[in-house]
């Protein structure tokens, strides 16, 4: 593999995502809507694969089950959770250029906060701005009809603790996982899909016996880190842990650590692992008047469990995967006259587990016998893996198109294939080619996808 360069500018990533059909601006034909983005054919498949992988890792174990709770919840939920009183950001305006921003994000010089736009120090007093979106339920607007779009998926899990525990008869420790949309009226959204007002979260609340919380907090910290390094294969140097000091802890947390990723604009939070104590269940118990206790059959005691939370944004993780995988690679190629020249290609070095397409079928010619065979291969493989089919342009161009969207294998069907019943399989990263019999193709590709790095070298 040649010399590799990551994209250092977010604008290049935004351009690439649009050009290759990963992410478009929402309502673009109307000029777009600030901070809202639409996932195109490849982006939606990539994000779905990420969510499926997370869901599988979380729920393919006996101690974690999944739920799918509604976005609109009883308004008292948010009083109990602390979101109505505490889920605020400190908002200030610059008196000079009128920019509005989060006071805690403002640059500090000589101990004084400055406007991030014009550098002025003349700022208004801080006002606390609640980040929850409000709407009305039913045809009559008014106090009694106000509901909120959930700002996190976690509360749907807490209010269902009793239902899930009773129906599954799970014993502590056990977890409940959920994937779903959340909404926050962020003061300063931005950096592409990193901070938006509508986003998807993948959260898991793990209920434990009080006193065992620190052990499980450490366990989930290790498990989640391994998800990024071992399962997803994110570059280690682009990940770091940041433990929150006592001043930076949220109102509910006993301990918290962030997994941060090195985006082109700097380090940013991907996931939080939190020890929430028994705050949430106790609050809901108090506000609802319903017991949310667990009866421990061993100690014969009743208590409110403690909770370890793991919370990651699907959109942020998709962005991290994109920033981590999109590279420009320069190879030295030998020309027919023996001279050497540089050849640069764009490659999306994404883990095959989450690549939008696993394989592309490329018939060398549009002629009927080849197309017929290629179509048959497409249909045969399609039931086992996501397959693309491309007949347009030179084979070199088609390889480049597939490289850029991260397709691990290209299968070229040529005229020899009609005779020897073999096809050429090309590896995305090593660009090596192997002749493989059509009979063995499905098995070969499956093995290759499992051990991709070792396969083409
Ligand atoms: P931040 O400090 O970046 O605002 P947070 O600490 O408030 O994030 P959590 O409430 O812990 O975030 O949410 C869990 C995860 O949800 C975050 O790690 C992030 O991946 C994702 N997330 C939170 N807010 C947004 C947002 N506005 N846009 C996209 N993803 C988000």
């Amino acid at each position: 593999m040649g010399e590799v360069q990551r994209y250092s500018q977010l604008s290049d990533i935004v351009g690439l995502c649009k050009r290759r059909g990963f992410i478009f601006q929402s309502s673009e034909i109307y000029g777009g809507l600030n901070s809202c983005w639409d996932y195109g054919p490849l982006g939606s498949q990539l994000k779905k694969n990420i969510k499926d992988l997370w869901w599988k890792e979380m729920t393919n174990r006996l101690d974690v089950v999944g739920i799918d709770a509604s976005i609109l919840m009883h308004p008292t939920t948010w009083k109990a959770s602390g979101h109505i009183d505490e889920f605020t950001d400190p908002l200030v305006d610059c008196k000079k250029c009128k920019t509005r921003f989060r006071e805690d994000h403002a640059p500090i010089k000589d101990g004084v906060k400055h406007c991030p736009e014009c550098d002025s120090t003349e700022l208004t007093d801080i006002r606390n701005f609640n980040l929850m979106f409000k709407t009305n339920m039913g045809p009559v607007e008014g106090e009694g009809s106000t509901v909120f779009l959930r700002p996190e998926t976690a509360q749907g899990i807490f209010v269902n603790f009793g239902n899930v525990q009773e129906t599954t008869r799970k014993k502590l420790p056990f977890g409940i996982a959920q994937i779903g949309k959340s909404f926050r009226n962020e003061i300063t959204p931005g950096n592409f899909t990193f901070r938006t007002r509508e986003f998807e979260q993948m959260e898991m609340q793990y209920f434990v016996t009080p006193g065992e919380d620190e052990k499980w907090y450490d366990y989930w910290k290790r498990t989640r880190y391994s998800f990024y390094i071992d399962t997803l294969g994110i570059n280690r140097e682009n990940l770091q842990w940041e433990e929150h000091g006592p001043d930076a802890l949220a109102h509910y947390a006993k301990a918290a650590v962030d997994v941060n990723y090195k985006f082109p604009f700097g380090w940013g939070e991907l996931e939080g692992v939190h020890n929430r104590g028994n705050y949430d269940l106790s609050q809901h118990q108090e506000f609802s008047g319903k017991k949310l206790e667990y009866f421990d059959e061993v100690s014969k005691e009743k208590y409110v469990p403690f909770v370890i939370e793991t919370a990651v944004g699907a959109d942020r993780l998709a962005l991290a995967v994109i920033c981590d995988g999109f590279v420009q690679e320069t190879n030295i190629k030998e020309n027919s006259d023996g001279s050497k020249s540089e050849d640069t290609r764009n490659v999306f070095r994404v883990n095959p587990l989450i690549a939008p397409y696993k394989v592309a079928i490329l018939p060398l010619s549009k002629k009927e016998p080849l197309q017929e065979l290629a179509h048959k291969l497409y249909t045969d493989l399609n039931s086992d893996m996501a397959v693309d089919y491309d007949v347009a342009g030179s084979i070199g161009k088609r390889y480049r198109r597939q490289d850029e969207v991260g397709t691990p294998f290209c299968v070229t069907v040529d005229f020899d294939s009609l005779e020897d019943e073999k096809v050429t399989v090309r590896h995305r990263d090593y660009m090596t080619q192997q002749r493989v019999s059509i009979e063995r193709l499905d098995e070969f590709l499956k093995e290759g996808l499992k051990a991709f790095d070792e396969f083409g070298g």
Side-chain angles (χ1 to χ4, degrees):
M1 280 184 270
E3 198 175 302
V4 157
Q5 244 192 328
R6 286 179 78 209
Y7 287 84
S8 56
Q9 301 295 323
L10 189 65
S11 53
D12 291 335
I13 297 274
V14 177
L16 212 84
C17 282
K18 170 157 189 198
R19 191 155 50 81
R20 303 306 289 134
F22 280 87
I23 304 173
F24 310 121
Q25 197 177 16
S26 162
S27 336
E28 194 187 274
I29 59 167
Y30 290 105
L33 182 64
N34 188 15
S35 102
C36 294
W37 301 93
D38 296 342
Y39 288 82
L42 291 162
S44 54
Q45 192 60 51
L46 175 71
K47 195 165 108 169
K48 183 176 180 304
N49 292 347
I50 290 174
K51 289 188 291 184
D52 288 350
L53 186 64
W54 182 92
W55 184 261
K56 197 166 152 224
E57 286 251 325
M58 278 298 176
T59 62
N60 268 16
R61 37 187 293 163
L62 283 172
D63 60 347
V64 181
V65 291
I67 64 162
D68 185 4
S70 69
I71 288 172
L72 300 175
M73 299 180 69
H74 192 289
T76 310
T77 310
W78 308 112
K79 190 73 195 152
S81 66
H83 282 83
I84 288 184
D85 299 323
E86 307 263 1
F87 197 56
T88 56
D89 274 343
L91 176 100
V92 286
D93 293 299
C94 170
K95 288 186 181 166
K96 209 166 146 203
C97 74
K98 309 291 179 222
T99 299
R100 180 164 284 182
F101 54 94
R102 263 172 76 167
E103 194 264 353
D104 55 336
H105 283 180
I108 306 175
K109 288 181 212 156
D110 303 324
V112 184
K113 299 257 168 154
H114 287 242
C115 169
E117 279 303 314
C118 73
D119 214 32
S120 164
T121 52
E122 282 189 55
L123 309 177
T124 60
D125 290 340
I126 297 172
R127 280 161 293 144
N128 278 329
F129 173 74
N130 195 294
L131 300 185
M132 282 199 294
F133 276 98
K134 273 186 199 165
T135 187
N136 289 287
M137 194 132 184
V140 187
E141 285 190 22
E143 262 301 293
S145 70
T146 303
V147 288
F148 301 92
L149 303 189
R150 67 179 175 199
E152 61 177 30
T153 55
Q155 300 304 323
I157 293 179
F158 294 128
V159 300
N160 276 299
F161 170 74
N163 284 337
V164 174
Q165 202 273 322
E166 276 167 35
T167 52
T168 62
R169 306 166 64 85
K170 291 277 172 206
K171 305 269 177 284
L172 294 191
F174 78 91
I176 305 177
Q178 173 167 223
I179 299 178
K181 288 256 177 172
S182 294
F183 301 81
R184 295 182 189 177
N185 202 359
E186 299 274 2
I187 298 169
T188 38
N191 284 331
F192 198 22
T193 52
F194 178 80
R195 188 177 302 285
T196 53
R197 294 189 171 117
E198 170 184 345
F199 54 96
E200 253 178 311
Q201 288 187 307
M202 308 189 282
E203 297 199 287
M204 196 278 303
Q205 313 293 328
Y206 198 73
F207 300 92
V208 305
T209 306
E212 292 191 359
D213 47 312
E214 282 175 25
K215 179 180 91 186
W216 287 110
Y217 175 65
D218 281 343
Y219 168 85
W220 281 107
K221 253 168 63 172
R222 275 185 278 117
T223 307
R224 295 306 301 150
Y225 201 60
S226 155
F227 176 73
Y228 294 106
I229 300 280
D230 306 319
T231 309
L232 274 179
I234 302 260
N235 286 303
R236 202 176 281 263
E237 68 272 17
N238 295 331
L239 284 173
Q240 72 178 198
W241 280 110
E242 192 188 351
E243 201 87 38
H244 286 213
D247 297 346
L249 285 179
H251 61 275
Y252 53 77
K254 274 183 77 187
V257 65
D258 290 340
V259 180
N260 292 335
Y261 180 79
K262 196 176 181 185
F263 289 97
F265 46 84
W267 289 96
E269 176 184 328
L270 260 192
E271 165 153 358
V273 180
H274 311 124
N275 181 347
R276 295 179 78 121
N278 63 7
Y279 176 82
D280 305 272
L281 290 183
S282 302
Q283 288 289 103
H284 287 304
Q285 187 164 267
E286 188 186 327
F287 278 75
S288 68
K290 299 270 161 35
K291 287 277 177 235
L292 291 173
E293 289 174 334
Y294 173 79
F295 176 67
D296 193 321
E297 281 164 14
V298 179
S299 67
K300 306 285 177 223
E301 276 178 305
K302 271 190 184 168
Y303 50 79
V304 177
F306 274 29
V307 173
I308 309 301
E309 166 181 79
T310 74
V312 51
D315 308 87
R316 272 195 200 173
L317 180 50
L319 181 61
V321 162
I322 287 172
C323 294
D324 210 63
F326 267 130
V327 294
Q328 266 195 329
E329 189 186 280
T330 307
N331 293 287
I332 305 295
K333 83 169 184 203
E334 195 147 338
N335 303 313
S336 48
D337 62 1
S339 65
K340 288 187 174 160
S341 58
E342 281 192 352
D343 182 42
T344 301
R345 64 172 187 148
N346 291 328
V347 196
F348 183 24
R349 288 234 187 117
V350 63
N351 185 329
L353 274 176
I354 52 169
Y357 290 118
K358 311 299 176 202
V359 52
I361 306 286
L362 314 175
L364 204 59
S365 142
K366 286 184 183 154
K367 294 220 170 87
E368 205 35 68
L370 275 198
Q371 288 256 39
E372 203 182 315
L373 175 60
H375 248 289
K376 184 172 173 336
L377 292 183
Y378 170 82
T379 326
D380 289 350
L381 291 173
N382 209 15
S383 54
D384 279 344
M385 57 190 89
V387 190
D388 194 15
Y389 187 91
D390 189 2
V391 276
S394 72
I395 197 74
K397 277 207 183 115
R398 281 185 267 166
Y399 282 154
R400 293 299 146 97
R401 275 206 291 271
Q402 296 298 336
D403 289 345
E404 217 179 17
V405 301
T407 309
F409 290 114
C410 285
V411 172
T412 307
V413 184
D414 56 28
F415 287 101
D416 288 343
S417 308
L418 298 169
E419 304 299 321
D420 64 4
E421 297 187 356
K422 286 183 178 165
V423 284
T424 304
V425 179
R426 172 185 177 271
H427 191 282
R428 178 193 72 202
D429 294 354
Y430 298 109
M431 293 188 282
T432 46
Q433 306 194 355
Q434 294 184 53
R435 271 317 259 182
V436 177
S437 81
I438 290 174
E439 208 188 346
R440 268 205 69 225
L441 184 63
D442 188 58
E443 190 193 328
F444 178 90
L445 291 171
K446 280 188 195 149
E447 277 170 21
L449 290 167
K450 262 195 229 143
F452 190 62
D453 288 345
E454 291 100 70
F455 223 66

